[in-house]
């Protein structure tokens, strides 16, 4: 009988921990390091911000952020983003690429509720302090 209670309370505790932990995507908000893709980049229609320094894109189908360093100056680049959707918690974060120009496209996959709005801007990024600087432009998309 005691074993049954221990098992039941253990299962309840595990379920409670899972419920309080939130979704993996929301837990990953904040500062994230972009992965090198090793292939082609995003659909050109997804790219809202581009200059001589970097290109930032958001593809709503699959909810992918794309980032490409366009200058071999050794300064990492970043996307600073915000998500809003009435009835859901607002979210925000930074995705950075410190792989350099030679790496090509990098990306991060997110998960957002449908019919929300993503706004984002392109920035320089300081790796030691995990902070953005010299941000410009505003891209936006629906999820």
């Amino acid at each position: 009988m005691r074993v049954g209670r221990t098992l039941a309370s253990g299962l309840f505790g595990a379920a409670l921990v899972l419920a309080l932990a939130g979704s993996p995507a929301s837990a990953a908000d904040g500062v994230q390091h972009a992965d090198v893709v090793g292939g082609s980049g995003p659909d050109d229609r997804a790219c809202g911000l581009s200059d001589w320094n970097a290109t930032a894109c958001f593809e709503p189908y699959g909810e992918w952020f794309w980032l490409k360093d366009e200058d071999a100056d050794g300064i990492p680049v970043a996307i600073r983003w915000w998500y809003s959707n009435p009835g859901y918690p607002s979210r925000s974060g930074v995705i950075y690429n410190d792989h350099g120009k030679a790496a090509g496209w990098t990306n991060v996959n997110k998960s957002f509720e449908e019919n929300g709005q993503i706004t984002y801007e392109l920035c320089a990024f300081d790796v030691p302090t995990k902070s953005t600087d010299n941000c410009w432009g505003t891209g936006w998309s629906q999820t």
Side-chain angles (χ1 to χ4, degrees), residues 7-18:
L7 178 61
S9 64
L11 289 174
F12 175 75
L16 182 61
V17 166
L18 286 173

Side-chain angles (χ1 to χ4, degrees), residues 80-101:
R80 187 164 56 180
W81 62 268
W82 299 267
Y83 165 81
S84 62
N85 190 341
Y88 295 96
S90 295
R91 295 168 52 189
S92 63
V94 172
I95 296 167
Y96 73 96
N97 170 6
D98 65 350
H99 301 289
K101 181 178 180 177

Side-chain angles (χ1 to χ4, degrees), residues 17-24 26-27:
V17 166
L18 286 173
L20 293 175
S23 70
S26 64

Side-chain angles (χ1 to χ4, degrees), residues 55-141:
T55 300
C57 314
F58 177 75
E59 284 186 311
Y61 184 75
E63 294 142 348
W64 287 92
F65 280 101
W66 294 82
L67 184 59
K68 186 176 183 183
D69 192 340
E70 304 281 359
D71 190 9
D73 60 1
I75 299 172
V77 295
I79 295 171
R80 187 164 56 180
W81 62 268
W82 299 267
Y83 165 81
S84 62
N85 190 341
Y88 295 96
S90 295
R91 295 168 52 189
S92 63
V94 172
I95 296 167
Y96 73 96
N97 170 6
D98 65 350
H99 301 289
K101 181 178 180 177
W105 284 107
T106 63
N107 66 19
V108 168
N109 185 225
K110 301 298 288 178
S111 181
F112 300 111
E113 296 295 330
E114 298 301 316
N115 302 312
Q117 182 171 323
I118 295 290
T119 55
Y120 59 99
E121 57 191 5
L122 192 53
C123 307
F125 187 76
D126 184 63
V127 176
T129 63
K130 302 285 191 242
S131 61
T132 56
D133 189 24
N134 295 325
C135 297
W136 71 272
T138 301
W140 70 273
S141 181

Side-chain angles (χ1 to χ4, degrees), residues 1-15:
M1 186 75 161
R2 187 172 179 104
V3 171
R5 277 194 220 151
T6 303
L7 178 61
S9 64
L11 289 174
F12 175 75

